Amino acid sequence: MRQRVLVVLAVRNGADYLQRTLEAIAAQTVTPERVVAVDARSTDASRSLLQAADVALVDAPATATFGDAVRVGVAALPDAQEGEWLWLLAHDAVPHPGALAALLGTAETSPSVAVVGPKVMRAAEPDTFAEYGQTTTPLGRSVRLRDGELDQGQHDGDSDALGVAESGVLVRRDVLEALGGFDAALPSVDAGLDLGIRARLAGHRVALQPAARVRRAGGPEHFRLRRVSDARRTRIVRSAQLHRRLAYAHPLLVPLHWLVLLPLALLRSVGHVLAKRPGSVPAEWAAAATAAVRLGRVARARTRIRRTRVAPWRDLRPLRVSWRALREHRQRVGDDVDHNARVVDERVGFVEGAALWVAALAAVVGVLVLAPLIGAGGLTGGALLPLDGSVAGLWTDATWGARDGVGDVVGPADGFALLVAAVGSIVPWAPSTAIIVLLLAAAPLSAVTGWAFVRTLTTSRWMPTVAAAVWAFAPTLLLSVHEGRIGAVVAHVLLPVAAACALRASQSWRATGGAGLALALVAAGAPSLLPALVLGVVVIAVVRWRAPRVLLALVPPLLLVGPTVAWQWVAGSPLAALADPGVPLASEPATPLQLLLGMPVGDLGGIGVVADALAIDARWIAIALAAPLLVLAVVAPFLRVRALLPIGVAALGLATAIGQTHVSVSADGTDVVALWAGSGVSLLLLGLLAAATRTIDVLEARGGVPMSAVTLAAALGAAPAVVLGMLVPALEPAPARALPAFVVADVDANVGTLVITPLDDGTVSARVERGAGSGLTDASTLASTAEVGPRAEELAVVAANLVAGGGDVEGDLDAWSVRYVLLADGDATLRDVAESSLAERDGLEAIGDTAFGMLWQRDVDVAPAPATTTWAWGLLAAQLLAVVAAIVLALPSAGRGARGRSRRSRIVRDWA
């Protein structure tokens, strides 16, 4: 039976386009049975043109939307008959002469199809898509497919979509009436998408017809508006999205979606400001407020869906677009705030390529390495101390001030202190918890950053997943986590980000900002990498000298670590600026061969433990694990000359690591501590990964076996770290207090506590703690690298006199505001001697034995802590400003394809 077609033409002030549209309808190779034109009180010549045409004219209110006009037009048609189709057009939609025949052909050959959409082309560029189907992202944002692409027949094989454009669509009349027409809450944007979704839920197909083409002068928002500002478009699009979210959500989740409307508006407003779209902020709030109060429309929309739905919502998932496809489209065609498209990407994504499973396994490894410490409120031991219990204390420690208990060392805070303060501020009620979370998340985060870095270098489908495994299971990372080396952990996680952004900085200010931020955090966590980082950035600037903006990426790291470098330089010890932040922690130096194998310590960490248990040479295990990656990296320069650059990076990393093992600037008591070579090994590993990627690019399909070998070796390399973490933990749960409760409860925040610890060698160590005790931000490299000052010498004399029972110490103790003396546990014999001397000394009142040792109190007026000067806060503000500027620069700004104001286009020529 031949299908009957009725045309409903919606018109509102469209005289500039209407004549062409009427002529195009009359020129169709298949003549429609009837044309009904609905005029929404046009104030131009539209009504005169309609009266002169052979159409039935119906009036609609001036406020009518396209959906309202269609509803009026359908109501004016004769009673529906079987097999009747409606062709819905707006005044600016000019169809190709064969459009209706093509649409009708799809309807006749596919009985399950109830909605058919044409190719919608731009009015001024008939060979360029305005859209060809509609869909949504996983979070419900609407997407107009193919917008901006040149039509070369590349999408003619597309047959189904989640929705189609409302103007130009051919829809079965009985289905449109059963669905209740267009949703009145969607006056323009997403009206066609919503109709398609409801049609699919009702068991019908929504098809695309590539042979049917319709030229459109503007988007659906232009039906009643000639011009639409960016802010107004934001409100229209966001209002439509929020309405659909409430209409489509599971009944139990609707209240939750409603409750988060305003909080989400706040977060998105911050995003608009950071993305340089402040004019969209009022529109964002207006859309949220509108969605919050118009619940009646939501209820009616949900009722219509419930009345006709026969298919489950999960059937729509295959037709949604992925974030990866949107990102790739923006890279190809250019960012567009409103219209994005699906594109085919031959590379495997993070989820499809099993990198997600690598990250999940890395998370398990991270938990196992720290298994004995799960549930602790804070950590101590290794290179760690608990954090100050208040955020204010963390940021105060990040300013210029005294870096030791007696005031010998006064200078700037390490850049690491700012890093720790920022991390601790994420969990303000328990800052130490943030450090635990960081350690647990380090391995999976490394999987993500390693994967993303290599993905920028290659078109290989699987090499990024291999990189995720290598970077997440690197022994240098897992050993750093095991020993609580927070700075080295942060540096390892962010090195790939810094490298990827620096390589693209010449092309993008956003990449420049990302490089500056990543480099700042890497330098703060591992100052010994600063020379290598500066050299790398300078080399990139020289190679790409036409756009040397990558040099600006050095500003944030230099501002973060620059004050420490300058202070150490003036102090006559410039190498001390390279000291590892945190508590000084000695490790057995590694040989150059061990470093090349990716092992930052001479005992090979967990590999040594496993080798001892198996009674085999640990070196052979290390060689076996490192060999696959080393072989791929070494052969790279022979296959591609461009691989010399990553080999150079690897050489720089190896040289840095070797240098770190030979530089000792810190001290742990009487032990000299060399720099941690793990950060240099991380840089070495980064270069090896990039070089191996070049080899895989050459091998192409033949690279499966070597990639599998590298991945397997990386995964097996994680086992020794797990064994080490479970059998020989370097960290332990931190006590609730760093000093006895009697001291912590003291009302004077700057009260001093002299802590004396008897050592096994017959000497004692002495230090002055302030307030509730030292935290991680108090562990300054200025203090750990400084020579013994006059006050430190006086402190040694005071401690010796207290232990021996002689000498006058009251003046020094008063000068340091020392109210408490704590004799910590240590050598039993020396401790008994010291306890006797302290008990007999006048002016000391015994408090008693505590969990930290014997405690005495003395009467002293505590001097207030020196106030932080204005210029010290100014230095901190300048450092934070540089970091914030890098963050803002790194954030995505308004899309390149976005326009401040859009208007209807003009049709420049007829169909070819």
Side-chain angles (χ1 to χ4, degrees):
M1 181 182 67
R2 184 177 182 274
Q3 308 290 348
R4 296 178 70 243
V5 179
L6 307 174
V7 177
V8 178
L9 176 62
V11 180
R12 168 67 182 174
N13 290 336
D16 293 341
Y17 318 95
L18 185 55
Q19 186 60 43
R20 288 178 181 267
T21 301
L22 292 171
E23 292 172 355
I25 295 173
Q28 292 299 302
T29 56
V30 173
T31 305
E33 294 286 335
R34 185 183 180 91
V35 179
V36 174
V38 182
D39 180 34
R41 305 290 182 182
S42 297
T43 57
D44 61 1
S46 297
R47 189 170 186 83
S48 300
L49 293 173
L50 293 174
Q51 290 173 339
D54 185 18
V55 298
L57 182 57
V58 181
D59 289 327
T63 57
T65 63
F66 178 82
D68 295 334
V70 169
R71 192 174 295 107
V72 172
V74 172
L77 293 172
D79 293 340
Q81 299 181 22
E82 184 180 358
E84 200 166 77
W85 290 79
L86 300 177
W87 195 20
L88 311 181
L89 295 169
H91 54 249
D92 62 345
V94 180
H96 185 275
L100 181 55
L103 294 171
L104 199 55
T106 300
E108 291 175 343
T109 57
S110 302
S112 61
V113 171
V115 180
V116 190
K119 288 179 177 177
V120 181
M121 318 303 291
R122 293 181 177 178
E125 304 171 85
D127 294 330
T128 303
F129 285 108
E131 65 177 271
Y132 186 38
Q134 298 180 9
T135 186
T136 65
T137 65
L139 294 181
R141 177 183 173 182
S142 61
V143 177
R144 299 180 189 176
L145 300 174
R146 317 306 175 199
D147 177 42
E149 294 188 37
L150 186 65
D151 181 17
Q152 298 175 313
Q154 72 272 31
H155 301 301
D156 286 359
D158 295 353
S159 60
D160 285 81
L162 199 55
V164 295
E166 62 287 330
S167 180
V169 63
L170 184 70
V171 57
R172 229 170 67 194
R173 182 177 180 180
D174 61 331
V175 172
L176 182 66
E177 292 177 345
L179 295 175
F182 291 103
D183 191 336
L186 300 172
S188 56
V189 172
D190 292 355
L193 173 64
D194 173 73
L195 182 68
I197 290 175
R198 288 187 284 130
R200 284 196 169 274
L201 291 174
H204 307 291
R205 278 184 60 201
V206 178
L208 299 172
Q209 174 48 256
R213 291 182 292 163
V214 174
R215 295 165 67 180
R216 188 176 67 190
E221 65 273 23
H222 289 283
F223 176 73
R224 297 181 59 250
L225 304 171
R226 288 186 175 273
R227 295 178 177 84
V228 180
S229 66
D230 184 62
R232 187 162 190 173
R233 186 188 301 107
T234 298
R235 177 176 179 177
I236 293 172
V237 172
R238 184 61 176 165
S239 295
Q241 181 184 0
L242 293 178
H243 172 78
R244 289 189 298 102
R245 179 175 297 172
L246 294 172
Y248 299 164
H250 189 282
L252 297 179
L253 296 180
V254 172
L256 177 61
H257 283 298
W258 185 84
L259 288 172
V260 301
L261 285 174
L262 297 183
L264 277 179
L266 177 60
L267 292 177
R268 286 174 60 89
S269 296
V270 174
H272 286 307
V273 172
L274 296 178
K276 296 87 174 176
R277 295 190 301 266
S280 297
V281 173
E284 185 70 42
W285 285 96
T290 299
V293 300
R294 292 186 175 178
L295 297 181
R297 294 188 174 189
V298 173
R300 288 190 291 272
R302 296 182 64 87
T303 299
R304 282 193 296 269
I305 294 174
R306 185 172 61 252
R307 187 175 60 243
T308 58
R309 184 168 72 90
V310 297
W313 284 97
R314 62 176 177 271
D315 287 355
L316 306 183
R317 291 175 186 168
L319 295 170
R320 291 175 180 162
V321 69
S322 68
W323 295 114
R324 177 172 57 89
L326 290 181
R327 183 176 63 254
E328 295 300 327
H329 172 73
R330 291 173 183 148
Q331 293 174 352
R332 285 180 48 196
V333 182
D335 292 341
D336 195 306
V337 175
D338 304 302
H339 315 303
N340 299 292
R342 292 182 299 179
V343 292
V344 177
D345 187 349
E346 295 183 356
R347 293 182 298 176
V348 176
F350 186 80
V351 176
E352 300 93 325
L356 178 62
W357 292 105
V358 172
L361 180 59
V364 173
V365 169
V367 170
L368 292 177
V369 170
L370 297 175
L373 306 172
I374 301 298
L379 300 178
T380 189
L384 266 184
L385 285 174
L387 267 61
D388 193 297
S390 69
V391 173
L394 292 177
W395 288 106
T396 300
D397 290 340
T399 62
W400 185 291
R403 308 263 73 98
D404 64 349
V406 294
D408 256 341
V409 182
V410 178
D414 297 330
F416 178 71
L418 276 73
L419 170 61
V420 172
V423 173
S425 299
I426 298 175
V427 189
W429 59 92
S432 291
T433 303
I435 297 298
I436 300 176
V437 173
L438 174 60
L439 291 176
L440 290 173
L445 287 176
S446 295
V448 175
T449 57
W451 177 88
F453 168 66
V454 170
R455 200 164 189 268
T456 64
L457 303 179
T458 181
T459 57
S460 169
R461 293 169 61 84
W462 298 104
M463 188 57 193
T465 301
V466 176
V470 171
W471 201 249
F473 301 137
T476 180
L477 170 67
L478 298 181
L479 281 173
S480 298
V481 170
H482 172 254
E483 296 181 345
R485 299 181 186 271
I486 296 296
V489 168
V490 171
H492 183 90
V493 172
L494 292 179
L495 262 178
V497 179
C501 291
L503 289 173
R504 292 183 294 156
S506 61
Q507 306 168 3
S508 165
W509 281 107
R510 183 178 174 186
T512 304
L517 178 61
L519 288 171
L521 298 179
V522 170
S528 55
L529 282 183
L530 184 62
L533 296 178
V534 173
L535 179 60
V537 170
V538 171
V539 169
I540 294 175
V542 171
V543 172
R544 302 181 178 179
W545 59 273
R546 294 183 182 274
R549 71 176 108 183
V550 67
L551 293 174
L552 295 176
L554 290 176
V555 174
L558 291 179
L559 271 176
L560 243 63
V561 302
T564 301
V565 173
W567 193 94
Q568 296 284 22
W569 188 281
V570 172
S573 52
L575 284 181
L578 305 178
D580 296 314
V583 178
L585 179 63
S587 59
E588 182 180 340
T591 65
L593 176 60
Q594 291 170 332
L595 295 173
L596 181 62
L597 296 177
M599 300 298 165
V601 291
D603 58 8
L604 301 182
I607 292 180
V609 176
V610 173
D612 290 342
L614 299 177
I616 60 177
D617 193 333
R619 291 175 296 178
W620 292 112
I621 298 179
I623 292 173
L625 294 176
L629 180 63
L630 282 174
V631 171
L632 285 178
V634 169
V635 302
F638 300 98
L639 301 176
R640 283 191 177 178
V641 177
R642 294 180 62 186
L644 287 173
L645 178 60
I647 288 296
V649 173
L652 180 61
L654 179 60
T656 300
I658 294 174
Q660 288 167 329
T661 62
H662 289 82
V663 175
S664 301
V665 291
S666 300
D668 180 12
T670 58
D671 297 329
V672 178
V673 179
L675 298 180
W676 171 244
S679 54
V681 172
S682 295
L683 184 60
L684 162 67
L685 185 60
L686 188 73
L688 294 178
L689 261 181
T693 300
R694 299 300 186 193
T695 302
I696 294 300
D697 285 344
V698 175
L699 296 177
E700 295 181 343
R702 294 169 294 177
V705 173
M707 283 193 293
S708 300
V710 173
T711 306
L712 179 61
L716 292 176
V722 173
V723 173
L724 184 67
M726 300 187 73
L727 298 182
V728 193
L731 305 178
E732 60 185 23
R737 298 174 300 275
L739 291 173
F742 195 87
V743 177
V744 175
D746 197 294
V747 294
D748 291 317
N750 194 45
V751 65
T753 301
L754 174 60
V755 182
I756 302 174
T757 305
L759 303 178
D760 294 337
D761 60 359
T763 63
V764 297
S765 68
R767 68 183 188 276
V768 175
E769 300 274 6
R770 294 291 169 195
S774 298
L776 185 58
T777 50
D778 296 309
S780 169
T781 59
L782 269 60
S784 64
T785 61
E787 297 181 356
V788 178
R791 294 184 183 179
E793 292 179 349
E794 293 174 8
L795 178 61
V797 173
V798 167
N801 288 334
L802 286 172
V803 171
D808 182 14
V809 299
E810 298 300 320
D812 288 326
L813 294 179
D814 288 346
W816 298 330
S817 298
V818 172
R819 179 174 291 169
Y820 302 98
V821 177
L822 176 66
L823 180 62
D825 295 333
D827 180 76
T829 302
L830 186 56
R831 187 179 188 280
D832 291 341
V833 173
E835 184 175 347
S836 299
S837 298
L838 291 170
E840 295 174 359
R841 181 171 287 274
D842 294 336
L844 289 181
E845 178 185 354
I847 301 299
D849 198 7
T850 71
F852 300 87
M854 283 295 298
L855 182 67
W856 285 266
Q857 182 181 14
R858 57 189 302 273
D859 187 18
V860 64
D861 293 329
V862 176
T868 304
T869 60
T870 302
W871 72 266
W873 285 114
L875 175 61
L876 176 62
Q879 293 173 316
L880 293 179
L881 181 62
V883 174
V884 171
I887 293 174
V888 173
L889 197 60
L891 291 174
S893 58
R896 292 184 294 274
R899 296 165 293 181
R901 183 178 296 273
S902 63
R903 64 180 67 193
R904 296 173 180 171
S905 303
R906 288 194 174 275
I907 300 175
V908 297
R909 61 182 187 274
D910 293 327
W911 287 107

